[in-house]
Amino acid sequence: MKKYLMILLSLAFCWVISISPAVFAEGDRTHNHNELTESHDVENHTHEHKYEDESHHDEAEDARGDGHENHEDEHGDHEDEDAKAEISPESAKKMNIVIEAVTPATIEKTVPLTGRITLNRNTKSDVRARFQGIVRDVKVNLGQSVTKGQALAVVEANESLQNYTITSPINGVVLERNTNVGDVTGDKSLFVVADLSNVWAKFHIFPRDDAFVKSGQKIAVHTLEGGEGAIGKLDMLFPTADELTQTQVGIVVLPNPDFRWKPGMTVEGDVTVATTETPIAVKNSALQKMEELGDVIFIKEGNSYLPRPVRVGSKDGSFTEILQGVKPRELYVSEGSFIVKSDIMKSTAEHAH
């Protein structure tokens, strides 16, 4: 019996020995799994904490960004409000600022021409001797003004040996004196007298403009510097072309009582070939250009002058058609707009600093 118990104990011990490594290994795996689980939980917690921090950071950045954008918008609105000039009526008068209402206007389409002031051939006289003879006396000098019937020279006739007087047939100026005492008269003119109280503006019309330029059309004549000007009409168009320039010649008769138009002067002319009625127009002097706004005019509201962007259409020498931006009867700066623009730019620059 005792022997039998010893055998059983030996078998039990061997069984215990055989299963112990597996149990221990399983325990280690369980322990390692628990450690990994704990480590994973820590990492997840750390990641979640980091995500929360980043999320809070992004929200803060968005908040700051929104605040910046709002600030920019408010600043932009503030600049728009500040883009004006405050000018009292007294100051505006001193600065020659003129206010007018937006009105309809007639816009003229013109063709530019170039020409020259010449003598009016209908008021120029070539003075000759009636009878051949010897010039005994000359009464006038070159450039002298004379009246109709005034003595110009005395000639002794060859046949009668009698002296006779040559007189001026018109009022005018002696432009040529082609004789002196002792000369023998012949067929040539002794004097050229011209009435300069009216002259011709002789213009050359190129073939590309022939179809538009007609006799009787209105024309604005001015010097190259733009200092002198007159409004006339095309009194005649020559039926022949100028041999040298191959252009048609148009004549404008200009009154010249103060002799400001001098023969030989180069002039320019703008022929009105068509007209357009526009319901909204402003004077050309009202328009200015401003950065970011383009073409503007300045609208008067009380003592404030505000830039108003406009879209322009056709224009002539006086008016510009406004297609968009203003309404009829609005008050605008027609003269002195550059002064208003300068005042606005100055105040805007000061505000920016």
Side-chain angles (χ1 to χ4, degrees):
M1 183 68 179
K2 183 177 181 181
K3 185 179 179 179
Y4 178 75
L5 288 174
M6 291 295 292
I7 292 171
L8 288 175
L9 288 173
S10 298
L11 292 172
F13 179 76
C14 292
W15 181 78
V16 171
I17 294 297
S18 63
I19 68 172
S20 293
V23 172
F24 293 148
E26 184 65 26
D28 291 339
R29 283 194 298 271
T30 301
H31 178 70
N32 292 337
H33 177 70
N34 291 336
E35 288 181 351
L36 290 172
T37 302
E38 291 175 358
S39 175
H40 183 66
D41 291 341
V42 171
E43 290 177 356
N44 287 339
H45 178 71
T46 303
H47 179 69
E48 291 174 358
H49 181 69
K50 182 179 179 182
Y51 177 77
E52 290 176 358
D53 289 344
E54 291 178 350
S55 177
H56 288 305
H57 178 72
D58 292 341
E59 290 176 359
E61 288 293 330
D62 292 340
R64 286 195 295 270
D66 293 340
H68 181 66
E69 290 176 358
N70 292 336
H71 176 70
E72 286 183 347
D73 292 341
E74 292 173 359
H75 185 64
D77 293 341
H78 187 59
E79 284 185 343
D80 290 340
E81 293 174 359
D82 287 345
K84 63 181 180 180
E86 296 290 340
I87 304 175
S88 66
E90 295 78 12
S91 298
K93 184 177 181 180
K94 291 180 181 178
M95 292 186 287
N96 297 320
I97 295 175
V98 180
I99 306 299
E100 295 187 33
V102 176
T103 59
T106 300
I107 304 296
E108 298 179 342
K109 180 181 179 181
T110 60
V111 171
L113 302 176
T114 301
R116 190 176 300 275
I117 299 296
T118 68
L119 296 174
N120 183 339
R121 294 183 184 178
N122 297 329
T123 60
K124 180 176 77 73
S125 180
D126 294 328
V127 183
R128 295 177 173 84
R130 288 180 297 166
F131 309 104
Q132 290 186 350
I134 299 173
V135 177
R136 296 302 184 185
D137 191 13
V138 178
K139 302 290 188 181
V140 294
N141 294 312
L142 186 67
Q144 182 177 333
S145 295
V146 295
T147 58
K148 183 178 180 179
Q150 182 176 336
L152 302 179
V154 176
V155 176
E156 180 185 321
N158 289 340
E159 293 184 4
S160 65
L161 300 179
Q162 297 292 319
N163 292 343
Y164 68 92
T165 301
I166 300 174
T167 60
S168 175
I170 60 173
N171 297 329
V173 177
V174 179
L175 298 182
E176 293 184 23
R177 171 183 156 170
N178 301 316
T179 189
N180 289 302
V181 174
D183 289 346
V184 177
T185 63
D187 293 332
K188 69 176 184 179
S189 62
L190 303 180
F191 304 93
V192 174
V193 179
D195 181 2
L196 300 181
S197 61
N198 63 75
V199 293
W200 281 1
K202 184 178 179 181
F203 291 100
H204 295 275
I205 304 163
F206 290 92
R208 64 173 180 269
D209 298 322
D210 281 348
F212 306 103
V213 179
K214 306 294 181 184
S215 179
Q217 289 175 331
K218 174 185 171 183
I219 181 170
V221 183
H222 55 86
T223 62
L224 295 180
E225 297 78 16
E228 301 288 348
I231 302 297
K233 65 182 180 68
L234 275 174
D235 292 283
M236 66 185 84
L237 289 175
F238 286 6
T240 57
D242 183 85
E243 294 182 359
L244 295 177
T245 62
Q246 292 298 297
T247 57
Q248 189 177 18
V249 175
I251 299 297
V252 179
V253 179
L254 292 176
N256 193 33
D258 53 1
F259 306 111
R260 60 174 178 164
W261 301 108
K262 295 177 175 54
M265 291 175 59
T266 300
V267 293
E268 294 177 332
D270 297 309
V271 183
T272 300
V273 297
T275 58
T276 302
E277 299 294 331
T278 177
I280 300 178
V282 298
K283 287 187 175 180
N284 295 341
S285 55
L287 286 162
Q288 294 290 334
K289 285 189 178 293
M290 295 186 70
E291 188 176 357
E292 297 182 359
L293 295 179
D295 292 316
V296 301
I297 64 173
F298 299 103
I299 300 298
K300 184 179 186 299
E301 296 182 359
N303 289 339
S304 298
Y305 295 80
L306 295 86
R308 178 78 62 79
V310 294
R311 185 160 64 92
V312 301
S314 58
K315 64 183 298 185
D316 59 15
S318 302
F319 291 94
T320 297
E321 178 186 17
I322 303 298
L323 302 176
Q324 185 178 354
V326 293
K327 298 178 181 179
R329 307 309 303 171
E330 282 195 281
L331 297 180
Y332 74 99
V333 179
S334 62
E335 302 288 344
S337 60
F338 181 77
I339 297 174
V340 178
K341 173 186 173 181
S342 299
D343 193 80
I344 291 176
M345 294 178 67
K346 179 181 177 182
S347 61
T348 303
E350 290 175 351
H351 175 75
H353 289 295

